Amino acid sequence: MSHEVPHGAQPDETAPKLDFAGTTPYEDYVKADVLTHLQHPLSDDPGEMVFLVTTQVMELWFTVIVHEWETAAGALRRDDLPVAMAALKRSVRELEALNASWRPLAGLTPVQFNSYRSALGEGSGFQSAMYRRLEFLLGEKSSSTLVPHRGAPRVHGELDKALHEPGLYDEVLRLLARRGHPIPADVLERDVSAKYEPCPEVEAVWTRIYAGPQDDELVRLGEALTDVAELVWRWRNDHLSATRRAMGTRTGTGGSAGVAWLEKRATKTVFPELWTARGHV
Ligand code: HEM
């Protein structure tokens, strides 16, 4: 189809195509019109827009990262380490981008936050189902976190499925066992819907792997998982700092003690034996 050219002007052969029969192929792919009309602030405060959009942006990153970790878990199950490593490495970059998106909210003052806080009602990130799936993949399983989603069958179904599937670390430990490392049977056969608890024998396996050749693919796997663990810890701590600055010791909109509750969450170690093993290498 020819480009539309204003009367008397020379056609610019390098310009993009302008005429499409229906919606643009960009719109058909990106759904930008849908995405950019999902912002409905609940107050008149001009500062609420960036709070809402940052939260939506983080939800999108959670979605991508869950996709990467599910890809990695599936690949580990098939002993396909290159595909698992590629997904984990992508997730490391994505976690960096996720964490960078704290910047617009990192310095909120209580007066700024209070300008729209009451409009949030009982809404809280604690009710984020995609964040919960991310935590489940890290072994931070908890059936009680499904309760808020009882009224949303699709979300509840997805969470229930994720609760009962092995997490990323479960698949890592099963792969280590298949490669001859002595992972105890009760770890391999654990109830995967329960929170992962650290185990001395698993720590000893990582200690042995880490003491060996540094270019070993299992050391590289351990390091990719350590990057993930560190960046998740940073997300939790950046969230804690932003919350401390925005509301001090007030209780959370989701009904928790607020900062005191988040402090406990932020001390949780992701993939614990990958950290404790370092003291024995
Ligand atoms: C500066 C603004 C923010 C404040 C003051 C804040 C405050 C809080 C508080 C107090 C909690 C504890 C639960 C509660 O009682 O509500 C919480 C949980 C949570 N928030 Fe935020 N939050 C902020 C921004 C965000 C953003 C932008 C996200 C992105 C999605 C987010 C995601 C979460 C998640 C996932 C939890 C649950 C954490 C867990 O289960 O360990 N928060 N937040």
Side-chain angles (χ1 to χ4, degrees):
M1 223 174 271
S2 69
H3 293 175
E4 295 278 338
V5 179
H7 190 67
Q10 289 298 312
D12 178 357
E13 297 300 336
T14 66
K17 179 174 167 172
L18 299 176
D19 51 338
F20 298 98
T23 50
T24 64
Y26 177 80
E27 179 57 28
D28 297 343
Y29 178 54
V30 179
K31 306 284 181 285
D33 185 44
V34 178
L35 201 55
T36 58
H37 289 83
L38 294 173
Q39 292 68 42
H40 307 292
L42 295 169
S43 74
D44 294 332
D45 185 72
E48 189 192 337
M49 187 65 160
V50 68
F51 176 80
L52 173 57
V53 172
T54 300
T55 308
Q56 291 181 333
V57 164
M58 287 195 180
E59 283 287 338
L60 290 175
W61 281 127
F62 296 160
T63 308
V64 180
I65 293 164
V66 162
H67 169 79
E68 304 293 17
W69 294 349
E70 284 179 345
T71 302
L76 290 166
R77 205 174 306 143
R78 301 189 307 272
D79 286 303
D80 190 344
L81 209 46
V83 166
M85 283 298 286
L88 285 176
K89 284 183 177 170
R90 283 195 303 272
S91 81
V92 168
R93 298 282 183 237
E94 291 149 9
L95 282 161
E96 286 167 352
L98 166 72
N99 289 352
S101 46
W102 275 117
R103 293 316 302 155
L105 301 183
L108 277 182
T109 67
V111 165
Q112 287 166 343
F113 185 51
N114 287 343
S115 308
Y116 49 85
R117 182 191 156 119
S118 61
L120 307 177
E122 293 183 318
S124 164
F126 178 74
Q127 298 144 18
S128 163
M130 204 47 90
Y131 181 78
R132 209 49 65 202
R133 280 177 62 184
L134 193 140
E135 289 259 14
F136 283 1
L137 276 158
L138 298 174
E140 205 54 57
K141 298 280 183 82
S142 153
S143 58
S144 68
T145 58
L146 266 66
V147 176
H149 304 285
R150 276 179 309 193
R154 183 175 77 181
V155 171
H156 191 276
E158 285 172 358
L159 270 178
D160 192 54
K161 184 165 172 280
L163 179 72
H164 292 95
E165 274 172 358
L168 181 56
Y169 199 54
D170 291 310
E171 296 295 357
V172 169
L173 298 183
R174 291 174 186 186
L175 176 124
L176 295 183
R178 288 195 300 278
R179 301 239 170 150
H181 292 280
I183 305 289
D186 59 341
V187 171
L188 297 172
E189 289 151 22
R190 77 182 198 90
D191 171 9
V192 294
S193 71
K195 179 180 156 29
Y196 178 82
E197 297 294 345
C199 152
E201 288 90 341
V202 172
E203 179 189 271
V205 166
W206 282 118
T207 304
R208 216 166 308 121
I209 290 170
Y210 265 85
Q214 296 301 288
D215 60 349
D216 186 276
E217 58 184 5
L218 294 182
V219 175
R220 291 208 298 271
L221 174 62
E223 285 300 275
L225 293 167
T226 305
D227 285 341
V228 164
E230 181 172 326
L231 289 162
V232 169
W233 177 82
R234 281 186 200 283
W235 187 89
R236 290 177 181 154
N237 279 276
D238 287 353
H239 178 239
L240 176 61
S241 289
T243 304
R244 207 179 258 143
R245 287 180 73 141
M247 54 176 252
T249 55
R250 298 186 77 175
T251 53
T253 48
S256 81
V259 164
W261 184 78
L262 288 174
E263 271 169 350
K264 277 190 273 169
R265 309 285 282 178
T267 58
K268 287 174 185 287
T269 312
V270 179
F271 312 143
E273 299 94 343
L274 271 166
W275 297 96
T276 55
R278 287 162 202 271
H280 305 287
V281 177

